[in-house]
Amino acid sequence: MTTTRRKLVAGNWKMNGLTASMAELVEMCDANPTNCDVIVCPPFPLLGRFVGSAGNSHIEIGAQDCHTAESGAHTGDVSAALIKDVGATAVIVGHSERRTDHGEQSGLIKAKAEAALANGLTAIVCIGETEAERDAGNAEALVTAQMRASLPAGATAANTVVAYEPVWAIGTGRTPTTEQIASMHAALRTALKADLGEEGHGIRILYGGSVKPGNAAEIFAIPDVDGGLIGGASLKATDFLGIVSAA
Ligand code: PEP
């Protein structure tokens, strides 16, 4: 295996941020980090403005969800085609908050990821176990199955990113142990390689869940952790840039 994986730090602003918050993006873009790939995913109404503001910096802009269809009668939804059209380059699909709040299941998430790929977007496919599932002792088998059911047909190292996010670690300040993260990422890597060969070796697996400037370096040093998906700590430029610099 010869593929080297460049680290990626992606910020998920969720339903946070107003136009005034663009000052944070401007600060991130002024710093223009080049040590790793960086994507910032604002709420939909700010997407086009963020793309304009990111300009020629190395920071790319992504969305937080997309519909499976190209267009049509889907009030309130946004297509991958539109996300691409406004200049974004990536889209998160299957975040646990989408799975919980909107009842999204892996089959739908796979179709969303396939819509992303069909429109030339990078799909960031989120997976992760609940605390009860971790306590039951079968988190790795469950999350591996979730990944296999959620990944798009045609997934490659260039078009797909996996984000492992234990649901119980999102926004809680709790993180798994280094051993738990290492073991999960190794299991996911084994499955990716078994299914996709060299592409499976190259697909980046991000860790997400309460990553902060203070714990990022330790988490990013774990084998098969290829960066992070960052929620709360992506809203402030100083915090986010601190995490980026750890990658
Ligand atoms: C997330 O929402 O993807 C996330 C990881 O959130 P936080 O970093 O706030 O835990």
Side-chain angles (χ1 to χ4, degrees):
M1 295 292 182
T2 52
T3 312
T4 54
R5 293 184 298 271
R6 183 170 157 82
K7 281 204 168 28
L8 164 65
V9 177
N12 172 16
W13 279 32
K14 312 191 185 193
M15 198 172 70
N16 296 301
L18 299 170
T19 50
S21 323
M22 292 191 56
E24 300 296 332
L25 178 74
V26 169
E27 195 177 329
M28 294 172 194
C29 293
D30 284 349
N32 200 18
T34 55
N35 60 305
C36 65
D37 292 339
V38 181
I39 303 175
V40 176
C41 303
F44 276 124
L46 296 178
L47 196 59
R49 297 186 64 166
F50 268 49
V51 169
S53 197
N56 293 327
S57 79
H58 288 95
I59 295 182
E60 295 186 30
I61 304 301
Q64 299 173 15
D65 181 46
C66 69
H67 198 274
T68 57
E70 286 290 299
S71 62
H74 303 287
T75 303
D77 282 313
V78 177
S79 69
L82 179 57
I83 293 166
K84 176 74 174 179
D85 186 55
V86 300
T89 58
V91 59
I92 298 168
V93 294
H95 191 280
S96 77
E97 288 148 18
R98 299 290 314 176
R99 292 181 189 256
T100 303
D101 294 356
H102 301 273
E104 295 191 5
Q105 296 187 344
S106 296
L108 175 66
I109 288 151
K110 175 183 166 83
K112 289 184 175 201
E114 287 170 354
L117 268 46
N119 285 280
L121 297 171
T122 298
I124 302 174
V125 181
C126 299
I127 51 176
E129 81 283 3
T130 63
E131 185 157 31
E133 289 163 346
R134 161 91 27 202
D135 291 345
N138 60 352
E140 285 174 20
L142 191 143
V143 174
T144 300
Q146 199 183 36
M147 178 180 75
R148 284 186 157 131
S150 303
L151 279 182
T156 67
N159 65 24
T160 301
V161 173
V162 171
Y164 165 58
E165 301 202 296
V167 178
W168 52 274
I170 295 177
T172 61
R174 299 168 59 203
T175 53
T177 64
T178 298
E179 292 71 27
Q180 286 172 326
I181 296 174
S183 183
M184 179 65 79
H185 280 241
L188 297 174
R189 178 68 61 210
T190 298
L192 285 173
K193 286 202 287 199
D195 295 353
L196 301 170
E198 180 65 15
E199 292 299 331
H201 174 79
I203 287 177
R204 289 177 288 191
I205 308 175
L206 310 184
Y207 167 78
S210 296
V211 178
K212 309 286 177 209
N215 63 12
E218 188 182 342
I219 291 171
F220 293 165
I222 298 170
D224 278 308
V225 173
D226 304 311
L229 181 55
I230 319 299
S234 70
L235 296 170
K236 290 279 167 224
T238 44
D239 289 343
F240 191 58
L241 290 170
I243 293 170
V244 167
S245 66

